[in-house]
């Protein structure tokens, strides 16, 4: 994740007052301290060019984590300043809270909640500004503007079977129906479930996951930015450490590899005005390397994402059919720098490049869609993507 979202270490390492720097736990030390707390604040700046248009985003993040034996509380929030040509949108993305009870090793019951975003309702100008970057496969927190309050419950149950581990999860999330008539992102009642099977793969661990969700929200008379329906996703992960190639016997380097497919189900409103292209299946491939450096670490991640979609709609009396595709390659470098007494600095910088193409048949352009360049019917318009971000998070664990 980018530093637009605060990175929190849920199992923080206790600091050593004698050395002045945090120590890593021994691999054999599995006894958690009775109380662990982490406070983190972060700043980040993102800038992306989509053809001739540039959007920017500045974020300030805050997060707090508390673990007391088997109980964990997490709170996180972010303020966002989003800028697009001719308009800015300032506000707060939803502040979230999670209360977890680990009633058995690998088994957790969680109560979750979210305070609605500000602005909770978007006018046509704000939607058009967000539409310049929405759905472009880059990580912008402004995509959460318009989200509604939520409460829910999640459960995870782990069934060990020798070297294998079988995990079942499910939950229910409820968003009250909006009373106002502004554009918003409302999912209604959402039910979800999933399974993960994992096991040893040499010195590492291989896991595969399947997840399915379904949401009940209707179109709110055309004001709902949620595309409708639900999602099916399949995810394969490989975590593989290997011997330190620099210092014999030193802490291992680690690699993480993953492939994920997310496929929407019954998304009957997938061509929303806050998106550059319609919502469709997304494929993501990720490779990451983490290198320990003293008590800190240095990491690099490469992501490749692609999507394609088709949507049909009307522009006045005419019918418009939209075919679109988009891809992005994202390279991230991050680090963890222990300072003293549990204080840690986490810098991050990233770069992105990509492209999106759009072909509209039957109508040249929908009104109010500045992200879509005018074109004759049947002509494909290609828009390059370039940009990046940088950020810093400061966390204190005690």
């Amino acid at each position: 994740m980018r530093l637009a979202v605060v990175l929190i270490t849920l199992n923080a390492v206790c600091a050593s007052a004698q050395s002045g720097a945090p120590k890593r736990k021994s691999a054999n030390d599995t006894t958690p301290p009775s109380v662990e707390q982490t406070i983190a604040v972060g700043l980040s700046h993102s800038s992306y060019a989509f053809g001739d248009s540039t959007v920017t985003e500045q974020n300030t993040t805050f997060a707090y984590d508390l673990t007391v034996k088997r109980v964990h509380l997490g709170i996180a929030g972010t303020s966002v300043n989003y800028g697009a040509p001719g308009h800015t949108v300032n506000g707060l993305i939803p502040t979230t809270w999670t209360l977890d009870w680990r009633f058995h090793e690998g088994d957790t019951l969680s109560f979750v909640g979210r305070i609605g975003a500000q602005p909770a309702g978007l006018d046509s100008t704000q939607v058009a500004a967000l539409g310049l970057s929405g759905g472009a496969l880059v990580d912008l927190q402004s995509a959460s503007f318009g989200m509604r309050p939520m409460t829910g419950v999640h459960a995870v149950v782990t069934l060990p079977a020798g070297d294998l581990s079988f995990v079942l999860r499910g939950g229910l999330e409820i968003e009250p129906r909006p009373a106002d008539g502004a554009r918003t992102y409302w999912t209604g009642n959402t039910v979800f479930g999933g399974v993960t099977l994992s096991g040893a793969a040499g010195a590492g661990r291989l896991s595969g996951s399947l997840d399915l969700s379904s949401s009940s929200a209707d179109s709110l008379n055309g004001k709902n930015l949620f595309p409708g329906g639900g999602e099916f996703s399949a995810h394969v992960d490989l975590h593989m450490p290997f011997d330190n190639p620099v210092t014999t016997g030193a802490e291992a380097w680690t690699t993480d590899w993953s492939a994920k497919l997310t496929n929407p189900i019954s998304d009957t409103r997938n061509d929303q005005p806050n998106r550059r292209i319609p919502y469709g299946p997304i494929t993501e491939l990720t490779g990451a390397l983490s290198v320990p450096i003293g008590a800190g670490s240095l990491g690099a991640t490469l992501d490749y994402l692609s999507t394609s979609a088709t949507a049909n709609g009307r522009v006045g009396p005419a019918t418009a059919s939209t075919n679109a595709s988009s891809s992005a390659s994202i390279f991230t470098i991050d680090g963890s720098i222990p300072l003293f007494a549990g204080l840690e600095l986490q810098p991050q910088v990233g770069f992105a490049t990509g492209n999106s193409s759009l072909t509209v048949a039957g109508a040249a352009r929908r009104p109010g869609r500045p992200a879509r360049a005018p074109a004759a019917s049947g002509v494909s318009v290609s828009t390059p993507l370039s940009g990046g971000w940088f950020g810093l998070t400061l966390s204190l664990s005690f």
Side-chain angles (χ1 to χ4, degrees):
M1 296 292 291
R2 321 292 183 268
L3 282 179
V5 177
V6 174
L7 175 63
I8 292 294
T9 304
L10 298 183
N11 294 313
V13 178
C14 288
S16 169
Q18 290 78 13
S19 65
K23 290 184 178 179
R24 284 196 176 92
K25 278 187 179 182
S26 165
N28 297 321
D29 182 9
T30 59
T31 303
S34 58
V35 178
E36 297 176 279
Q37 297 184 76
T38 300
I39 299 173
V41 292
L43 301 171
S44 69
H45 175 84
S46 305
S47 178
Y48 295 102
F50 299 93
D52 296 331
S53 300
T54 298
V55 302
T56 60
E57 188 178 274
Q58 293 83 39
N59 300 324
T60 303
T61 58
F62 169 81
Y64 172 72
D65 271 73
L66 169 66
T67 301
V68 182
K69 296 183 177 179
R70 296 179 180 270
V71 178
H72 163 255
L73 171 67
I75 302 172
T78 303
S79 67
V80 179
N81 182 309
Y82 174 86
H87 197 77
T88 60
V89 185
N90 300 321
L92 302 172
I93 69 168
T95 298
T96 60
W97 59 265
T98 303
L99 180 62
D100 305 313
W101 174 44
R102 182 171 57 85
F103 55 90
H104 188 271
E105 188 65 34
D107 302 335
T108 304
L109 180 65
S110 302
F111 299 94
V112 300
R114 180 178 69 221
I115 299 173
Q118 295 295 329
L122 302 170
D123 60 34
S124 58
T125 303
Q126 292 171 327
V127 169
L130 296 173
L132 288 170
S133 59
L137 304 179
V138 291
D139 191 6
L140 288 170
Q141 301 306 301
S142 49
S144 296
F145 283 142
M147 292 186 70
R148 309 302 301 185
M150 178 272 291
T151 56
V153 59
H154 300 175
V156 175
V157 176
T158 303
L159 306 174
D163 291 335
L164 298 177
S165 179
F166 189 66
V167 178
L168 298 173
R169 58 186 167 275
L172 170 66
E173 296 178 352
I174 299 173
E175 297 182 12
R177 187 180 182 87
D180 53 69
R183 285 195 177 273
T184 189
Y185 191 97
W186 173 62
T187 62
N189 298 335
T190 299
V191 293
F192 66 89
V195 297
T196 295
L197 178 64
S198 64
R205 194 160 187 85
L206 177 66
S207 66
S209 301
L210 298 175
D211 288 273
L212 182 65
S213 69
S214 178
S215 299
S216 64
D218 59 45
S219 69
L220 292 175
N221 296 318
K223 297 295 185 180
N224 196 356
L225 297 172
F226 172 58
E231 286 185 346
F232 166 78
S233 66
H235 202 170
V236 177
D237 295 279
L238 174 63
H239 175 77
M240 181 63 67
F242 61 95
D243 290 340
N244 191 315
V246 177
T247 305
T248 302
E251 187 172 353
W253 294 14
T254 59
T255 58
D256 289 277
W257 309 90
S258 70
K260 184 177 183 180
L261 171 65
T262 302
N263 193 68
I265 301 172
S266 302
D267 56 331
T268 55
R269 305 181 300 275
N270 69 332
D271 193 14
Q272 294 288 351
N274 64 331
R275 299 180 60 86
R276 293 188 61 85
I277 66 173
Y279 180 51
I282 299 175
T283 301
E284 180 176 4
L285 302 174
T286 303
L289 171 68
S290 180
V291 177
I293 301 176
S297 65
L298 178 67
T301 303
L302 179 62
D303 285 291
Y304 174 78
L305 302 96
S306 66
T307 185
S308 61
T310 300
N312 297 303
R314 298 188 66 82
V315 180
T319 299
S321 176
T322 302
N323 295 296
S325 63
S326 183
S327 64
S329 297
I330 304 169
F331 179 64
T332 306
I333 300 175
D334 56 58
S336 172
I337 306 172
L339 300 177
F340 58 88
L343 194 64
E344 186 175 274
L345 184 66
Q346 299 159 346
Q348 190 177 68
V349 61
F351 309 92
T353 182
N355 189 78
S356 61
S357 62
L358 190 76
T359 303
V360 180
R365 182 184 181 189
R366 291 196 184 191
R369 301 300 292 270
R372 301 191 179 177
S377 177
V379 175
S380 179
V381 176
S382 180
T383 305
L385 155 71
S386 62
W389 71 94
F390 62 87
L392 287 173
T393 294
L394 188 66
S395 66
L396 175 64
S397 300
F398 55 98

